[in-house]
Amino acid sequence: MGIKAALPRYELYLYSAVLGVALIWAGSWIFEASSDNANRKTFKESVRPGWHYFGRKMDVSDFEWAMWFSTFRNHILFALTGHVIVAKIYSLVAPKHRSLIFAVYGGLAVLVTMGWTFMALVLSHCIILYSIALVKKKWVCFAAGLSTLASIKLEPYNSWQENLVTGSFNLQDILFYGGCGFSIMRCMSFALENCDRKEGNYSFSDLLRYNFYLPFFFFGPIMTFDRYHVQANNTQLTRKEREMWNITTKALLHLGVILVVDVFFHYLYILTIPSDMKLVAKLSDWCLAGLAYSNLVYDWVKAAVMFGVINTVATLDHLDPPQPPKCITMLYVFAETHFDRGINDWLCKYVYDYIGGDHDKIFKELLATVSTFAITTLWLGPCELVYIWSFFNCFGLNFELWVAKFFSLPPFSIMENAMGEAMSRRIRGVFNAANFWAIVLYNVLSLNSLEFAKMVGRRLIFKGFPLSTLSVLLVTYCGVQLVKERERQQALLDDPEPVERMEIDPSSRPGILLSCPSSSSSTLFI
């Protein structure tokens, strides 16, 4: 059935009311648990005095958030402000050489921040992978790139390299893994694009200009070489209508979101509570469901802000960077689940789409997804938790294709064609609601712990059955239908003519939950 199938307006109003009441209800449980347990001994390290105006303690357990907006804040502002000023001057004075200026400034900033040893290490990675790129064999480039990536993800090679650059800067280890990891992925992109170049080779200077673009260097996102090379060397630097207004609006929006998140941390200890399993065992089913959902929403917010700030700078440089991730609230298929769109685009371009073809063959799709998640596992850092996360997300992605194939066969396809579009949308919404919670449970283990994910699963599926299970699915169904309505309205704006589209598109690209390598999770924020 088509994506433009409509539901009665009163039905959507009912869904909105149910969803709003449920969110307030679950939020009240989390607020109560936060208020009653703020002084627990287990909360001592992660719940500390916050803003004096609120008179409440603040959840400070997220290292990445604290790093970005307290410890590392001044360094970021200083470095990026300098970049913006230098980039603006040379974009006006010498637009033909702006990619070189980007690299020179970025290289100097990395050198001052991390020292000669780190710079030499990154350059050695670049030299090795550039030399291999000249062979113009994709499998050789992949093997060399993955081997180099393994050298900073597996013991004892990563510890040996990290010890080479250890210094007095208290964030040096974080910047080491971020800078090296993203540099290797960029070098692989360069090498693979060089393989596709029919005549000659890209120069080593092109690689350095690509790799040392400061806004992307330490924390991404990754823009594939082909896109960056074209955009950074474009000399026709013009702005679209109201583009500067949009950039300013987004910058102010990101600042507002940072403040709102800090305020919420004073009232909802969504990150600290899951770490105390004794407390978690005493909470209601609704509170556990709210915690699992809110943790994924927060992780999306963190990624959206982190990449949003960087993307704002890149947009000022006349680049079109990878967009922020899609909010978990808007997801009901595994094919769209990703938190780092740059890594997701990289994997889709060089692995998933390359192996999977049109993504319509079950075996090729399985091979493509297994290969994609194998590389993702290496990127995150192989460990038991990452193995479990990769397996379940890989299974979920393939299961969607299997289900789509199965229900496209008679008599199911005949039955769906016989029913109305609205009824088809409702039935699909039921399956999508179950799928949404599979996404939540498969990914929350990477954000909190395997024990917390197992606890949420047991309570919602087994111990809470049937009341908690069915009520949570009902609320989720309402949310899914509202998301579908938003997609329907957008589809009508994009294409007013009625076009039949599959709502679950097996050819969709895989969602890779990725984040900052500082936690080696892609969020883990992959």
Side-chain angles (χ1 to χ4, degrees):
M1 293 294 176
I3 196 174
K4 297 178 182 178
L7 295 179
R9 190 172 298 274
Y10 68 84
E11 186 175 339
L12 296 173
Y13 288 154
L14 177 62
Y15 293 156
S16 299
V18 171
L19 182 62
V21 171
L23 290 176
I24 294 173
W25 177 253
S28 67
W29 279 101
I30 300 175
F31 173 76
E32 182 179 346
S34 301
S35 300
D36 294 345
N37 298 280
N39 295 317
R40 287 176 69 92
K41 291 182 179 180
T42 53
F43 285 14
K44 186 176 181 180
E45 294 298 322
S46 55
V47 177
R48 298 178 181 177
W51 294 358
H52 176 73
Y53 317 108
F54 297 111
R56 289 179 60 92
K57 294 183 177 180
M58 179 181 177
D59 190 337
V60 296
S61 58
D62 187 350
F63 170 77
E64 287 183 344
W65 186 268
M67 177 189 71
W68 270 87
F69 302 112
S70 59
T71 309
F72 200 35
R73 177 184 57 205
N74 295 333
H75 301 86
I76 293 175
L77 291 177
F78 179 78
L80 292 185
T81 299
H83 171 87
V84 170
I85 294 173
V86 172
K88 183 62 176 178
I89 293 173
Y90 279 91
S91 294
L92 295 173
V93 176
K96 291 183 179 180
H97 305 290
R98 66 192 190 101
S99 63
L100 175 62
I101 300 304
F102 291 163
V104 170
Y105 179 87
L108 290 175
V110 172
L111 179 63
V112 171
T113 303
M114 299 294 290
W116 281 103
T117 310
F118 178 80
M119 178 64 79
L121 182 63
V122 172
L123 287 175
S124 68
H125 291 158
C126 293
I127 293 171
I128 291 172
L129 293 177
Y130 175 77
S131 301
I132 294 174
L134 299 179
V135 178
K136 287 200 169 186
K137 298 290 185 180
K138 286 190 174 182
W139 72 269
V140 176
C141 295
F142 249 111
L146 295 180
S147 299
T148 308
L149 184 62
S151 72
I152 66 166
K153 296 293 183 178
L154 301 177
E155 292 287 357
Y157 314 105
N158 60 335
S159 296
W160 176 77
Q161 292 184 77
E162 184 180 356
N163 291 334
L164 291 176
V165 302
T166 300
S168 59
F169 188 37
N170 60 354
L171 293 174
Q172 196 143 8
D173 57 336
I174 304 300
L175 299 183
F176 164 78
Y177 285 106
C180 287
F182 280 105
S183 289
I184 292 169
M185 298 296 278
R186 283 188 289 266
C187 288
M188 290 181 67
S189 176
F190 172 88
L192 294 170
E193 294 298 332
N194 191 66
C195 293
D196 289 335
R197 188 171 186 177
K198 296 181 180 180
E199 297 181 1
N201 299 286
Y202 291 108
S203 67
F204 187 62
S205 174
D206 291 329
L207 175 57
L208 295 182
R209 296 183 188 200
Y210 169 51
N211 187 57
F212 285 98
Y213 179 67
L214 183 62
F216 295 165
F217 184 83
F218 287 112
F219 296 105
I222 290 179
M223 181 186 289
T224 55
F225 175 76
D226 56 330
R227 292 181 57 196
Y228 180 84
H229 184 68
V230 170
Q231 295 178 26
N233 290 285
N234 177 29
T235 58
Q236 304 299 320
L237 305 179
T238 59
R239 296 284 183 194
K240 298 178 182 178
E241 185 179 355
R242 295 177 62 83
E243 184 175 359
M244 286 305 301
W245 169 261
N246 293 333
I247 292 174
T248 304
T249 302
K250 288 181 180 180
L252 294 175
L253 177 62
H254 293 143
L255 178 60
V257 170
I258 294 170
L259 296 175
V260 169
V261 169
D262 271 3
V263 171
F264 269 93
F265 276 166
H266 286 79
Y267 295 95
L268 305 176
Y269 302 155
I270 59 173
L271 305 178
T272 295
I273 292 176
S275 64
D276 188 340
M277 294 306 298
K278 291 184 178 179
L279 174 59
V280 168
K282 300 177 183 178
L283 301 177
S284 68
D285 296 344
W286 272 97
C287 188
L288 283 181
L291 282 171
Y293 167 74
S294 59
N295 268 262
L296 285 179
V297 171
Y298 163 70
D299 212 39
W300 165 78
V301 170
K302 181 174 65 175
V305 170
M306 182 177 72
F307 292 124
V309 171
I310 292 174
N311 286 354
T312 298
V313 177
T315 306
L316 288 172
D317 293 335
H318 298 272
L319 300 180
D320 182 19
Q323 295 303 303
K326 192 173 182 179
C327 180
I328 184 66
T329 304
M330 309 298 291
L331 299 177
Y332 50 83
V333 291
F334 278 89
E336 297 182 359
T337 309
H338 57 267
F339 278 30
D340 184 335
R341 198 180 296 267
I343 291 291
N344 189 71
D345 290 346
W346 191 100
L347 289 169
C348 289
K349 179 177 177 65
Y350 299 121
V351 184
Y352 182 68
D353 291 339
Y354 183 78
I355 298 175
D358 59 4
H359 306 293
D360 195 42
K361 303 293 191 296
I362 290 179
F363 177 76
K364 289 184 68 176
E365 180 72 3
L366 180 62
L367 180 61
T369 53
V370 169
S371 301
T372 300
F373 278 96
I375 294 176
T376 303
T377 300
L378 178 61
W379 165 258
L380 297 178
C383 65
E384 180 184 10
L385 194 62
V386 175
Y387 295 146
I388 296 172
W389 173 87
S390 294
F391 172 81
F392 280 109
N393 280 275
C394 184
F395 169 78
L397 192 61
N398 282 277
F399 188 70
E400 285 180 349
L401 176 61
W402 303 339
V403 171
K405 286 284 189 181
F406 180 75
F407 281 99
S408 66
L409 300 174
F412 303 107
S413 58
I414 298 175
M415 292 171 58
E416 185 174 16
N417 289 329
M419 68 178 64
E421 288 191 346
M423 183 56 65
S424 173
R425 171 174 161 176
R426 295 186 184 101
I427 293 175
R428 287 172 177 265
V430 174
F431 289 98
N432 294 149
N435 205 43
F436 177 88
W437 274 100
I439 293 173
V440 172
L441 292 177
Y442 291 172
N443 290 298
V444 76
L445 62 89
S446 67
L447 305 179
N448 301 114
S449 65
L450 179 60
E451 290 73 20
F452 178 71
K454 290 165 62 177
M455 173 70 76
V456 175
R458 284 197 301 266
R459 293 281 290 274
L460 294 184
I461 300 174
F462 300 108
K463 291 186 178 181
F465 187 84
L467 183 60
S468 297
T469 305
L470 296 180
S471 59
V472 169
L473 284 178
L474 173 62
V475 171
T476 308
Y477 168 82
C478 294
V480 167
Q481 290 296 359
L482 293 176
V483 173
K484 285 176 175 288
E485 180 63 20
R486 184 178 183 274
E487 293 175 346
R488 185 187 76 87
Q489 293 176 359
Q490 186 61 48
L492 290 173
L493 291 174
D494 296 339
D495 183 13
E497 295 298 323
V499 177
E500 293 296 314
R501 301 177 184 174
M502 290 296 291
E503 293 194 28
I504 299 181
D505 183 2
S507 67
S508 298
R509 300 186 302 175
I512 310 301
L513 181 61
L514 296 174
S515 167
C516 217
S518 59
S519 62
S520 280
S521 72
S522 124
T523 359
L524 274 178
F525 164 77
I526 172 182

